[in-house]
Amino acid sequence: MRVYNFSPGPSTLPLPVLERAAAEMSDVNGSGQSVMEMSHRSKDFKPIIEKTEALLRELMGIPPSYRVLFLQGGASLQFSMIPLNLGAGEWGNPKKTASYIETGIWAKKAADEAAKYVDCAVRASSKDKAYTYIPPFPAPNPADAYCHLTLNNTIVGTKWPAVPETGAVPLAADISSCILSEALDVSKFGILYAGAQKNLGPAGTTVVIIREDLIGHAPPWVPALLRYDLHAEEGSMYNTPPCYGIYIIGLVLEWLKAQGGVAGIAKINAEKARFFYDYLDNSRIFYSPVEKSSRSIMNIPFVPRETDADRRKDLETRFVREAAASGLINLAGHRLVGGMRASIYNAMPLEGVQALVDFMRKFEKTR
Ligand SMILES: *Cc1c(COP(=O)(O)O)cnc(C)c1O
């Protein structure tokens, strides 16, 4: 039996995608081979990677002046690659400044890593209130190589309500947990990146969307595999790309297109989030710790109203255990923040959210 999986990542995938992958496991497109077995440079794999890129371009409306790269190393490697390619100077020395906005644990990790390679300034932060809101965006610093933000904060469950204007300063954004969840104007960004395992496919592939003029600025000492120029020149095939992941992303994108594309899924996502927040805002025992104007529609943390630490811990443990026994799994909050969290990415149907709310209503009655 399939469960409703609320994991923040790796996370649930559409069942039709899994079933198609299973059906094609040992023979894809009449090639007599699995995607895992074929050469990445073969005539059999070429249409797979080309289809995946074309669908991503179509669904996201990616302008021709942007390159799409399929890389490895997760979103976390982009924390290093962005500063190394856009602002690093001579070995061990920054060449340029960059601004970072600290809206959560991933955003902080990105800034900490960047500080090794660029002159990095954290220009706004919501740490004072445990990252439960999105701070005002600072005036862009025209000298910056780029400004970095995390569009949706997976752990604390906040998202930027609008994309900030940065003028001539390229905006770099981590969209790991919100890619393709609702419309996004790619032309407002210099570089976008996402680990696949939240909203796109299996872990192991990272999608990078980068404006062409930002490619080619890495100093010579930057290692080959960390250079956007090499990956772009070689069409993501400088070395073996994560072939199977790219194939599954292609299937997910086909599924997404059949849902009415981004506009179609955005409507369903809005409905799922509204339904869940409506319940939370009226719950006697749970609440959302996030400021209303900053709420994520993908990751929704919730915590007991109970203030006694022991009783609260008890309630959380019991909730997560009983939910799992009812087929609603992975609802524990992040290990650093506690509480509970429901991640309701594109592949989570409205019925899954309804099942969770039904369970929470019943759970509430037993208290
Ligand atoms: C999950 C996540 C990451 C880390 O991704 P990896 O692929 O494990 O490196 C970074 N940023 C955000 C916003 C995430 O949700």
Side-chain angles (χ1 to χ4, degrees):
M1 189 199 78
R2 292 277 292 171
V3 291
Y4 286 122
N5 179 6
F6 296 92
S7 165
S11 39
T12 192
L13 286 166
L15 184 57
V17 167
L18 299 176
E19 285 173 341
R20 171 138 173 227
E24 298 180 339
M25 176 63 80
S26 59
D27 180 3
V28 70
N29 301 331
S31 67
Q33 317 151 59
S34 147
V35 177
M36 280 176 271
E37 301 167 302
M38 58 180 54
S39 160
H40 56 293
R41 301 190 193 280
S42 66
K43 66 171 182 8
D44 296 306
F45 186 67
K46 197 160 176 273
I48 293 176
I49 189 167
E50 284 176 356
K51 182 195 78 176
T52 303
E53 175 171 343
L55 276 169
L56 189 69
R57 285 186 174 276
E58 177 187 337
L59 290 165
M60 288 185 77
I62 301 173
S65 55
Y66 287 71
R67 297 296 300 267
V68 173
L69 308 175
F70 297 103
L71 308 181
Q72 305 189 54
S76 300
L77 191 60
Q78 296 311 306
F79 298 170
S80 320
M81 280 180 74
I82 290 172
L84 279 170
N85 283 270
L86 272 53
E90 295 299 309
W91 175 262
N93 291 299
K95 181 161 134 202
K96 294 195 171 153
T97 59
S99 293
Y100 276 73
I101 316 296
E102 187 193 1
T103 51
I105 292 152
W106 294 119
K108 182 177 184 333
K109 277 194 171 164
D112 288 347
E113 181 64 17
K116 297 176 186 171
Y117 312 114
V118 293
D119 191 351
C120 176
V122 174
R123 306 266 318 284
S125 170
S126 52
K127 196 170 184 197
D128 59 334
K129 288 186 189 161
Y131 301 124
T132 53
Y133 69 104
I134 297 291
F137 193 78
N141 172 5
D144 278 347
Y146 62 92
C147 176
H148 180 278
L149 58 77
T150 311
L151 204 58
N152 183 79
N153 297 275
T154 323
I155 297 173
V156 283
T158 62
K159 77 157 180 173
W160 285 84
V163 177
E165 297 294 337
T166 54
V169 179
L171 184 57
D174 183 348
I175 55 168
S176 293
S177 50
C178 60
I179 185 169
L180 291 162
S181 63
E182 57 186 344
L184 188 66
D185 182 353
V186 173
S187 71
K188 288 193 161 169
F189 299 86
I191 178 164
L192 291 163
Y193 63 97
Q197 70 273 24
K198 313 301 174 35
N199 228 350
L200 279 179
T205 306
T206 311
V207 169
V208 173
I209 301 160
I210 181 168
R211 217 172 60 208
E212 268 167 355
D213 62 289
L214 298 176
I215 298 174
H217 305 291
W221 59 265
V222 170
L225 273 170
L226 304 184
R227 307 181 66 92
Y228 292 131
D229 50 8
L230 267 189
H231 286 296
E233 276 161 30
E234 302 288 336
S236 302
M237 295 213 197
Y238 173 74
N239 68 333
T240 316
C243 303
Y244 198 74
I246 292 167
Y247 157 74
I248 297 284
I249 293 171
L251 298 188
V252 170
L253 296 178
E254 274 182 352
W255 170 84
L256 187 61
K257 193 172 167 179
Q259 309 302 301
V262 172
I265 206 76
K267 248 167 109 177
I268 302 170
N269 286 337
E271 174 62 14
K272 278 151 51 184
R274 191 196 54 76
F275 188 79
F276 195 55
Y277 282 119
D278 271 1
Y279 161 72
L280 271 187
D281 291 342
N282 293 295
S283 166
R284 196 169 45 82
I285 63 172
F286 300 115
Y287 71 99
S288 157
V290 169
E291 208 168 81
K292 274 193 178 160
S293 59
S294 305
R295 286 173 165 183
S296 169
I297 60 167
M298 292 278 101
N299 311 96
I300 307 188
F302 52 100
V303 287
R305 292 188 188 277
E306 174 65 65
T307 48
D308 176 81
D310 286 343
R311 281 208 297 261
R312 185 174 161 146
K313 188 79 223 128
D314 242 32
L315 190 141
E316 290 177 3
T317 311
R318 196 162 76 85
F319 179 87
V320 170
R321 195 183 56 226
E322 289 178 17
S326 303
L328 307 162
I329 71 165
N330 289 324
L331 283 160
H334 191 274
R335 62 198 153 81
L336 295 177
V337 299
M340 276 83 71
R341 170 180 48 169
S343 294
I344 52 173
Y345 297 118
N346 287 352
M348 174 60 65
L350 177 61
E351 297 77 53
V353 180
Q354 286 166 337
L356 174 58
V357 167
D358 277 350
F359 171 81
M360 289 172 78
R361 288 215 167 92
K362 280 187 204 131
F363 185 86
E364 200 165 328
K365 285 212 184 89
T366 68
R367 305 299 302 170

